[in-house]
Amino acid sequence: MTAGTAKELKVRHLDPKKRQGLVVVITGDGKGKTTSALGMALRACGHDMRVGIVQFMKGDMYAGEWDGVKKIEGDIELLATGMGFVGLGGNSFSFEEHREAAQKALELVRARMAEKRYDLLILDEINNALKLGLLDLDQVLSLLSARPFELHLVLTGRDADPAVMEIADTVSEVREIKHAFRRKIEPQPGIDY
Amino acid sequence: MTAGTAKELKVRHLDPKKRQGLVVVITGDGKGKTTSALGMALRACGHDMRVGIVQFMKGDMYAGEWDGVKKIEGDIELLATGMGFVGLGGNSFSFEEHREAAQKALELVRARMAEKRYDLLILDEINNALKLGLLDLDQVLSLLSARPFELHLVLTGRDADPAVMEIADTVSEVREIKHAFRRKIEPQPGIDY
């Protein structure tokens, strides 16, 4: 990394008087939800924070982040606990199998949270898992209320539940204005996966 | 990284028949634009792509991505060429100084693009730089039309120009539904910077 005009600039540092964990929800139908969470993970590694990413829906389709995360020299753990997207072409698991995987993932998250294993914990596509009934709303709400005070928790996926958004400190909605896919351009590595 | 249910799953790989560079615009007033671009950078590193990030507005305020990017074992270069946000409290540079910095950044981008130095090039906050008049629309449009066919180009920042969005393959708008800042919670490391 090179800072082009570093010599002329005095770099200022923010330093909040009060550190507190935030609940961030990233929802909507547009491209950039998981991607945004990955960016937060990278930034947090820059701050020497301990990062966990649990992917509730991914696991059956290769994603560039699996190898990207391995290349970070930092305390970052990615768990692709899902069995892919329910009903998506080529995915052959039953609803019960998907639900079992999501329930196991939730147990894992609870355990890691109780150990205070992470400073930033990303629950990737958990909104979809909830919407699809792989998790129940009361399970997710009880997870949120059990979080340690200092832990940042990021929940991604479309169709976030209003009750989850109500609890969150920050909610962003990513809207699709247009997408290359609609013009029959195939998903491209580095951009789409 | 651990894949929780990897044994049961056969991981499928996407492989587009046709590789082509995409122009992606990430705009809107919500949290997660630069963050999303950073996530794409990380993913692209997972695909062993060569990544460049040019930050048009940042440079005077410490950002976690500066140290995060250094921790990636990959071909990734981050250039914080900006002098901070025009008119933001504590930033003492004149409009002319900001414009000069942005113009130099644009020259650098043109040169790197002509060399085909990157597979993914992120022009961070370039939309803001254009909106503020640090760059001119014809400069940005001519940059876009000069891109190599295989190069992915990502333009972030609020208030993206309609002419830029027209050219883009994919446009996402990040809308702020709510933000911790509004409740007087200070910016937190790992989440906000």
Side-chain angles (χ1 to χ4, degrees), chain B residues 83 95-105 107 134:
Chain B
M83 308 185 82
F95 177 83
E96 288 68 29
E97 287 168 316
H98 280 290
R99 180 162 166 109
E100 200 190 318
Q103 291 290 326
K104 276 189 189 163
E107 275 172 44
L134 308 185

Side-chain angles (χ1 to χ4, degrees), chain A residues 141-171:
Chain A
L141 295 181
S142 98
L143 188 78
L144 287 176
S145 66
R147 72 188 186 277
F149 183 77
E150 310 78 11
L151 177 70
H152 296 307
L153 211 50
V154 178
L155 299 90
T156 80
R158 52 175 74 195
D159 299 318
D161 193 283
V164 172
M165 293 198 276
E166 181 61 34
I167 290 170
D169 298 293
T170 295
V171 180

Side-chain angles (χ1 to χ4, degrees), chain A residues 67-126:
Chain A
D67 285 315
V69 159
K70 282 187 208 166
K71 291 187 172 174
I72 301 180
E73 294 170 60
D75 189 347
I76 179 167
E77 184 177 43
L78 190 154
L79 301 149
T81 57
M83 308 186 83
F85 282 85
V86 179
L88 197 73
N91 186 285
S92 58
F93 295 100
S94 68
F95 177 82
E96 288 68 29
E97 286 168 316
H98 281 290
R99 181 164 165 108
E100 200 191 318
Q103 291 290 327
K104 277 190 190 164
L106 195 71
E107 275 172 44
L108 182 69
V109 166
R110 268 204 212 95
R112 290 282 206 281
M113 208 185 248
E115 290 165 14
K116 302 199 175 182
R117 172 71 186 79
Y118 309 118
D119 301 305
L120 168 66
L121 175 53
I122 293 163
L123 306 176
D124 188 40
E125 313 279 10
I126 193 173

